[in-house]
Amino acid sequence: MACVRWRGGCAQLLATVWADGHPRQLLLTNVSGCSAPAALCEAIAARFPTLTVDGAAVDRA
């Protein structure tokens, strides 16, 4: 599950992963602007194949 956290003028796309029984936030990418282009979502999917990112939900957040 990915979430968006705003830091200043840009957003960070984060995912929570579990390692050794403890949650850890993983920074997927920084998103500048108000939307995540399809190419950005494809790049995240290629870099992190075990995570699922809903681009439409990211745009709404």
Side-chain angles (χ1 to χ4, degrees), residues 8-54:
C10 72
Q12 295 177 331
L13 185 59
L14 303 166
T16 302
V17 295
W18 288 83
D20 299 324
H22 299 283
R24 184 177 143 239
Q25 284 190 335
L26 178 65
L27 176 64
L28 302 178
T29 189
N30 288 319
V31 180
S32 60
C34 295
S35 66
L40 180 65
C41 292
E42 291 171 4
I44 292 169
R47 187 170 174 202
F48 302 101
T50 59
L51 298 176
T52 303
V53 177
D54 182 7

